[in-house]
Every structure is written in structure tokens, then in C-alpha cells.
Amino acid sequence: MAFWPAATALTRRSLFTLAGAGAAMAAEGMWMPQQLPTISKALKENGLAIDPAKLSKLTEFPMGAVVSLGGCTASFVSPQGLVVTNHHCAYGSIQYNSQPQKDLIKSGFLAQSFEEELPAAPGSRVFVTEEVKDVTALVLDAKAQGLKGKARVDALDANSKRLVSECEQGGGYRCTVSSFYGGAVYQLIKQMEIKDVRLVHAPADMVGRFGGDTDNWMWPRHTGDYSFYRAYVGPDGKPAEFNKANKPYAPKHFLKLASSPLKEGDFVMVTGYPGRTNRLRLPSEVAFNFEWQQPASIKAYGEQLDIIRRETSGRRDAEIMMANTVAGLANAHKNMGGKQASWEQDGQAIMGRKVAEYEGLKKWVKADPKRMAEYGAAFAEVERLLADSQAEARRDFLLGYSEPTFLGVARGLYENAVQRALPDAQRKPGFQDRDQARRAQALTALSRRYDAQVSVKLTAHFLSQYLAQPASQLDPAFLSALQLKPGMSEAEVQAHLVRLNGATQLARTEDRLAWLAQDASAFKASQDPYIQAAVALYTHDRAEEAKGKERAGLQQEAYAGVMRALMAFKAAKKQPLYPDANGTLRVSFGKVQGRNPGGADGTTWTAFTTLNGILEKHKGEGDFDAPAVQREAIKARRFDQYAVPELGSVPVNFLSTQDTTGGNSGSPVLNKNAELVGLLFDGTLDGVISDWDFNDRMNRSIVLDARYMLWQMKVVDKAERLLKEMGAK
């Protein structure tokens, strides 16, 4: 199949031949760093003062200061490894270190010395990206190209694991192979993995989370969404697990605070690790998401939140245990609701555009026999495979919410035992030696994230719904392993789960960890009900996995073919094509800008909010209960040097036109000189549908103004040690 080398060359042309892009690109685009030199004209025209080429060099300033937390973004802000991110990104560590008698969630935390800094939640990491390399030809080598289905997936996995293993030689690094454009392009990403991460400072809950779920995804906003970690390494300067002898990491680059005031209309850019967008999805995928999958997920998330809040009410220890889970669920639930509301309003127009673009692509392919020979078969094949995947998703939707917590733990532990009997290179990703420490940390973290009462209620709620479906839609192996019967009531399921939970040893952290060292024979001999169920399900699970791989391999080949056609189409028209976000490093740029009119008729959104709004919103309860010490400082107008005369107060949050999504949380927002002016933490509810269909009129990112963070740290929290370390004047 000789078209692959040509496809690789075509990929590079599509990525980097962006002639004429200029300022017409507006704010749209989550650009890969290596694409930035080709859009340098647009960057300069929009106000960037530094050389755009510097942004493509990952080990130089400023990109060398930007790090990933494995789900959020952060940045170094001192030569001693101080890391700033969002409060909600550090929330898991704040929650993990909290107890009813030492409630850091409520009161906040400030270490007065290095010795007082607290270990972050188990598994916390700081990833410093050092190299990104195109490995498309190595992943999709001649052998892989000639294979179909599961064999193709296995070959791609083997090639990826080999590249990762070579990349991680010497230790201290975490390497990944990431897929772009539906599997048409692959990159090897090398990151230093800093394992000793410590909590340094977090403001009080009603600073870092002021407005709570009520204000989440809304404007105007008055949230102090910031917290600080510190990265530590061993005495030899290399990444190491937590040890009191470790020392602060000395980054090669760190961000400096802005030396000039930020105002409306100023250029800003954001560098970070956006999680996932779906703008290149095919029309059938868009329809499936908005017409079935997302509405079903919104309903399920809402039910989960209702159950957790009901079952933890009046039990502060349980509220703390579930706080991180509730925050994540509530955030996703509201985000999905915003997307769905926008779809209900504009879905017909969005779908019309998607279909027209797709039909235009297919017409272009059909117009040339060579293009038809290269790409034509992929279109029909991908639609067939997507239809199969969607039918399975409908069938198994409730099953995904119905697995008891400890059955999931047991399944993972047993498969880990089976995999450990194989040579490391032959094991599945996630079960290799490189993964064992993180597996142990996840099992440990469960001790502070699990509440038995909540878990039973949640599982019984969804499992009884699953069992109420026609018997033909149920998984007989799952029912047999857990001794379940179709039609069991919620009360019957709950009683059954209580019996199972009472008989398992997996509720104890030390017992969970002990199973990591056991071989498969020990699992087969166990009388633990969940381990017995995991052993009974193993053959069935592997058969289902093989079926999924078979379809995934066929789908990768077909989907990548469609994406290569799209890339060629765009290249022929000399139009830029950035890939959908996939958790890898990206750069977006825009302006500090309000919205006029806003989402509602006649509404105007100003670019900045101020401290005045905190007092106006304060209710003394719920999501609007600002700390008394903060309110007193605002009333006394103790603004220090951070007030803006035109605003008559200290700016708190601001709006920008930058193109961002989940995963960008905590991303540093930089001015034209690459100085820190804020932290990206949110979008607006009527603009989140931009994950699927970018809308430059509605899209706005919400940013914590660095001046508010510094004011809170200096005037309210007295964090002079950190301010001095950051070079704040």
C-alpha cells in the first residue's frame, strides 16, 4: 500500500502550508507549536511583540515554563519549582489533605516554609514537555499498513510501545504516542515526569470557588481560581518519589509577572494542554452526540449528583470524601447542558454546515479518479463502522454506570496479574512496569475518594435500571458473575450489594495493594466475591476486547482515510487545518474583549469584573459566602498597588477571545511580551458548543486576572514568602 509515504508528505503540507492565513483567522485555532512560524504574520498583526518562532521551541522561553498536570495545565513561576494552576485543578489534593477537623477545602492552605508544604494527592504529576517528534512512518509502517482489524491495532500498539520504551530509556521521562487527524498522523511526545508534587497554597474555598456551580460557565464572574504546587526532585536533580530529602526542582525557564497593566483590546495568548474538541467529527457523529448520547449523559450525571448530595447531606466526612467527584460531575453536567441548549437553538444550522462541508469534500474526491481510488472506499466504510459503534453504545450505556466499585478494582487487579506473567514488552499499555507505581497510587487514593453508602446507592440506582431492560439486551456473563437476575428491584439490588461489600476485603487499602503482588493462581483460589466475579468475567472481557479491537482497527484505517482526504482538500485550497485538541500542547491567541450584545437580547458584557462585584454577590451562604477578612479589605478599599483607576477597583476576572476548552484550565495567559497576566479557567455556557462548532461571535474564555491573585495573596492571605519568590513588587 504505497500511498502511506505520500500521505505523510501530504500531511506536512496540510499542516504547514498556510499561505494567506493572516489576520482573517481571527481567534479560532488551537495550534500545535510547530505550526506557529507559518502563522507568524497573524500573530504579529494581532500584537505579539516577541519572535513567533520562539513559541515553537519547546525547551526555550516561554514554552519551557508551561507544564501539564495530566488533565490540567500549569506553569513554573519561580526558579525554585513553584507552579501556579487553577484552584479546581488542585482541588483533588486539597480534598485529599482535608479532614473534618482540618478542613483545608473550607479554610484554604498556606505553607510558611518548604517544610510545611504537603504531599499532593497520590499520582499527582508535573509533566515538562521536552520533545515532540513526528513518528507517523514508524507507527504506520509497512507491516501495519498491510493489516486489517485487530491485527492492525496490535501492530500499531506494538510500534507505539517500542517507541515509548526507547524514549523512556534512562528513567525520569514519560513518553506517549499521540494520534492526530483521526489516526492519520502520530507524534511521539517526551515529557520529564516529576513525581514529588506538593501543595503550597490554596485560597479559601469561597475565594477559589466563589460562585460555585451557580456561576460556573457564567459571566460576570468573580472567582479566584488559583492555587500553587511545588515540584521536587531527588538530591541528584532527577525525578524521584516523595522523600523529605528531595529538593525543589530548578526549571530552565519560568514565567514572570506582567510589567505593564493589561487593558481591553490588548493581545493575549494561552499556552496549554486542551483536552478534546470534536470540530472534525463527521455529520453522523455530531447527530449521534446531540440527539442521543449527550442527552442520556446529562440525565445520568444529574441523577448521580442528586444521589451523592442526598446521601452525604449532614455527613461532612462524606462530603469531603466526595467533594472532588461532585466538582467534576457538576462541571461536566453543566457544560453538557450548555452545549445541548445551544444545539436546541442552532443545531439545524450547525448540522446544515457540517453536512454541506462533508458533501463538498466527497464531491471533490469524486471529481478526480486518482483521489477516488485513494480515498473513496474510506467514506462508505467509516459510516458503516460508526453505525455499529453507536448501536453498541446505546445497548451498553447503562452497563457503564452499573459496575460496583470493587468489581472494577478486582477486574483491574486480576488483569494486572495475568499481564505481569508476560514479558514487559508484550503487556498491554497500562499494565507494564512503567505503570505499576501509578496503579498503586490510584488504589491508595481510593481510600479518600470512596464512601460505602454513596457507592451502594449509585450502583443500585443504575443497575436496577439496567436489569429492567429486555433480557435480550443484558450481558449474561455480567449477571452470572454477580449473581444478578433480570427485573431485580432497586431495593433488592441494594441489599445484594451490601452483602457483597460486606464480604470483600478490597475496601481496605492495604488489601488492595497486596493484590498487586499476587499471581493469577491466587486470584483463582480467592473466596472474595468481587475477585471471583473478576476471574469469571476474564475470558468474556477479553473476547469483548478483541471484538472492539477488530472494529477499532477497521475504523482507524477508514477514518484516517477520510481525514487524509480532508487534509488534501484543505491544502489544495490553501486553508489552514489545525487538528482537534487531544491533550497535547497547543497555543491560541486573541484579544481582551467583552461581548456586545451578549447571549441575551440587549445584553452587554464588559471585559473586566472587579472586587466590587464580590460584595454585590455576597449572600453569606451557599455559593456566595465570601470570607469576612476579604470583605473587610474590600470595604476598606485596601487595594494596595493593584487597583485600576478606570475600573475604580482591583480587576478580578476578564474575558478574552482565545480559543480554549477543558484541559486548558490553569493555562497561563500571556501578554504580547510573554509575561503572565492571568490563568485561564472557564468559558461561557452559550459558547461551549465551540468544542463542536466554533462561533467567534459567542466564544469567550474567562480568565483570572493575575492582579486579583496577587492582591488576595498580599492583602488577605499574607503570602509574602511566595510573592517575594515570584518577584512580585
Side-chain angles (χ1 to χ4, degrees):
M1 300 178 71
F3 64 84
W4 281 108
T8 302
L10 175 60
T11 294
R12 294 193 180 101
R13 289 200 306 273
S14 301
L15 291 176
F16 304 120
T17 304
L18 306 177
M25 289 188 303
E28 180 180 355
M30 300 180 193
W31 302 96
M32 295 189 293
Q34 59 266 42
Q35 290 180 297
L36 294 176
T38 63
I39 59 169
S40 59
K41 180 180 179 183
L43 289 165
K44 299 294 284 187
E45 287 179 353
N46 279 272
L48 180 66
I50 67 171
D51 181 359
K54 287 187 175 182
L55 300 177
S56 66
K57 298 175 181 177
L58 304 182
T59 58
E60 296 186 13
F61 180 84
M63 303 303 288
V66 183
V67 299
S68 170
L69 301 180
C72 279
T73 305
S75 52
F76 289 119
V77 287
S78 90
Q80 294 179 295
L82 189 65
V83 173
V84 68
T85 188
N86 283 158
H87 178 269
H88 74 262
C89 294
Y91 199 68
S93 293
I94 302 167
Q95 175 268 328
Y96 188 83
N97 282 287
S98 291
Q99 303 280 353
Q101 64 274 21
K102 186 184 178 184
D103 196 340
L104 304 187
I105 292 177
K106 184 176 181 179
S107 62
F109 173 72
L110 175 63
Q112 297 293 349
S113 65
F114 290 118
E115 291 72 24
E116 291 184 10
E117 295 173 0
L118 299 173
S124 297
R125 295 288 188 269
V126 170
F127 296 100
V128 185
T129 300
E130 293 196 356
E131 184 180 12
V132 175
K133 184 189 301 182
D134 187 299
V135 292
T136 305
L138 298 175
V139 176
L140 280 164
D141 61 8
K143 178 182 176 182
Q145 292 174 36
L147 297 173
K148 298 283 186 182
K150 181 178 180 297
R152 185 184 184 90
V153 171
D154 289 341
L156 296 177
D157 283 348
N159 289 341
S160 296
K161 284 193 294 184
R162 185 184 68 255
L163 290 167
V164 165
S165 178
E166 293 170 356
C167 178
E168 292 181 350
Q169 290 297 316
Y173 288 94
R174 190 80 177 179
C175 299
T176 56
V177 173
S178 294
S179 168
F180 300 77
Y181 300 105
V185 176
Y186 292 88
Q187 290 186 346
L188 178 66
I189 300 168
K190 183 176 184 179
Q191 296 176 310
M192 179 187 292
E193 181 183 18
I194 297 178
K195 303 175 182 180
D196 186 352
V197 183
R198 304 185 196 181
L199 182 65
V200 177
H201 173 45
D205 187 49
M206 279 291 98
V207 174
R209 207 177 57 83
F210 184 76
D213 192 51
T214 305
D215 269 6
N216 194 20
W217 304 103
M218 307 301 286
W219 187 261
R221 199 71 175 274
H222 300 82
T223 307
D225 202 346
Y226 70 89
S227 287
F228 290 87
Y229 281 135
R230 193 182 303 279
Y232 281 78
V233 291
D236 60 357
K238 296 180 179 179
E241 299 289 350
F242 173 84
N243 190 302
K244 289 185 177 180
N246 287 351
K247 63 181 183 180
Y249 171 67
K252 295 177 182 177
H253 302 284
F254 60 92
L255 300 179
K256 296 182 179 180
L257 298 166
S259 56
S260 57
L262 187 70
K263 60 185 183 302
E264 185 164 10
D266 281 354
F267 171 91
V268 283
M269 62 180 174
V270 60
T271 60
Y273 294 82
R276 186 160 300 279
T277 55
N278 301 286
R279 295 174 193 169
L280 300 184
R281 294 285 184 177
L282 308 188
S284 60
E285 295 177 281
V286 178
F288 176 70
N289 178 73
F290 287 100
E291 293 171 8
W292 188 85
Q293 189 169 45
Q294 187 163 269
S297 297
I298 291 170
K299 180 176 181 293
Y301 280 25
E303 291 171 359
Q304 286 179 300
L305 285 166
D306 289 343
I307 291 169
I308 294 172
R309 286 166 175 159
R310 182 180 69 239
E311 297 301 323
T312 59
S313 179
R315 296 193 297 137
R316 182 56 183 162
D317 57 338
E319 288 178 337
I320 291 173
M321 284 282 197
M322 300 305 297
N324 196 53
T325 301
V326 168
L329 281 172
N331 186 62
H333 182 249
K334 193 166 185 177
N335 177 285
M336 286 184 180
K339 290 173 181 170
Q340 198 65 31
S342 294
W343 177 262
E344 297 300 330
Q345 181 177 342
D346 298 320
Q348 187 173 357
I350 293 171
M351 198 64 189
R353 287 194 298 274
K354 296 287 184 183
V355 170
E357 291 167 359
Y358 193 50
E359 291 302 318
L361 172 62
K362 289 195 289 186
K363 183 178 179 180
W364 178 80
V365 170
K366 291 176 181 178
D368 184 286
K370 290 183 179 179
R371 293 198 291 263
M372 191 62 188
E374 185 169 357
Y375 309 123
F379 286 84
E381 179 72 352
V382 78
E383 292 296 348
R384 180 184 70 80
L385 293 164
L386 286 172
D388 287 348
S389 297
Q390 291 162 7
E392 185 175 292
R394 289 174 185 267
R395 185 196 70 197
D396 293 341
F397 180 79
L398 283 171
L399 185 60
Y401 291 85
S402 299
E403 181 178 67
T405 299
F406 295 125
L407 175 58
V409 170
R411 277 169 140 168
L413 285 169
Y414 182 53
E415 185 169 11
N416 188 60
V418 174
Q419 290 288 319
R420 282 195 306 109
L422 301 173
D424 191 62
Q426 294 179 23
R427 297 182 207 168
K428 290 165 52 177
F431 295 94
Q432 295 179 283
D433 289 342
R434 68 196 287 268
D435 305 305
Q436 295 304 308
R438 299 191 76 178
R439 186 169 291 277
Q441 289 163 341
L443 292 171
T444 301
L446 185 62
S447 65
R448 299 289 305 145
R449 304 277 168 80
Y450 171 81
D451 180 81
Q453 179 177 324
V454 171
S455 179
V456 167
K457 291 286 188 179
L458 281 172
T459 306
H461 175 77
F462 290 103
L463 186 49
S464 61
Q465 291 182 50
Y466 175 72
L467 295 173
Q469 297 181 124
S472 60
Q473 293 181 226
L474 304 180
D475 183 341
F478 179 76
L479 269 60
S480 175
L482 284 178
Q483 300 179 344
L484 299 166
K485 296 179 181 179
M488 289 176 71
S489 69
E490 184 170 342
E492 290 173 323
V493 173
Q494 183 174 323
H496 185 58
L497 291 171
V498 169
R499 287 193 294 271
L500 292 175
N501 286 355
T504 188
Q505 296 179 337
L506 295 176
R508 294 189 289 271
T509 303
E510 59 271 21
D511 289 328
R512 291 195 298 273
L513 293 172
W515 279 106
L516 285 172
Q518 298 296 320
D519 61 18
S521 63
F523 283 82
K524 292 176 181 177
S526 174
Q527 296 302 303
D528 188 292
Y530 286 121
I531 291 177
Q532 288 181 327
V535 172
L537 283 166
Y538 184 77
T539 300
H540 168 75
D541 288 348
R542 300 292 73 75
E544 289 297 304
E545 180 180 76
K547 285 167 55 180
K549 279 189 172 183
E550 181 66 23
R551 185 171 59 233
L554 296 172
Q555 188 167 308
Q556 186 276 338
E557 184 178 6
Y559 209 104
V562 173
M563 289 296 107
R564 290 198 313 274
L566 176 63
M567 294 159 71
F569 180 51
K570 291 289 186 180
K573 298 170 69 175
K574 294 187 177 181
Q575 292 179 349
L577 184 66
Y578 56 88
D580 269 321
N582 63 350
T584 59
L585 187 59
R586 304 295 177 91
V587 178
S588 301
F589 64 94
K591 301 277 188 180
V592 177
Q593 186 175 305
R595 222 172 68 180
N596 186 15
D601 184 37
T603 300
T604 298
W605 289 358
T606 57
F608 291 91
T609 58
T610 71
L611 293 179
N612 299 333
I614 295 175
L615 296 182
E616 293 170 3
K617 285 184 175 180
H618 173 74
K619 295 180 181 178
E621 61 182 7
D623 288 338
F624 301 97
D625 188 13
V629 63
Q630 185 195 58
R631 287 184 282 115
E632 189 276 328
I634 298 172
K635 289 176 182 177
R637 299 183 64 81
R638 294 203 303 273
F639 296 154
D640 203 81
Q641 61 184 331
Y642 303 108
V644 175
E646 294 81 1
L647 298 175
S649 186
V650 177
V652 173
N653 299 149
F654 66 84
L655 290 172
S656 74
T657 61
Q658 296 165 121
D659 188 1
T660 59
T661 189
N664 270 126
S665 291
S667 294
V669 176
L670 310 177
N671 63 13
K672 64 181 181 180
N673 297 312
E675 297 170 327
L676 184 67
V677 293
L679 300 177
L680 192 289
F681 73 92
D682 214 349
T684 62
L685 198 61
D686 57 3
V688 292
I689 199 170
S690 284
D691 282 356
W692 292 82
D693 183 72
F694 187 82
N695 184 328
D696 59 357
R697 183 178 67 87
M698 304 297 285
N699 181 75
R700 290 294 183 276
S701 292
I702 302 177
V703 184
L704 165 76
D705 195 304
R707 291 168 289 192
Y708 174 49
M709 176 179 74
L710 298 172
W711 174 83
Q712 175 72 25
M713 292 173 70
K714 183 175 183 180
V715 176
V716 181
D717 289 334
K718 312 299 182 185
E720 287 85 356
R721 177 177 82 100
L722 300 183
L723 291 168
K724 182 179 180 181
E725 183 179 341
M726 295 167 65
K729 297 179 180 179

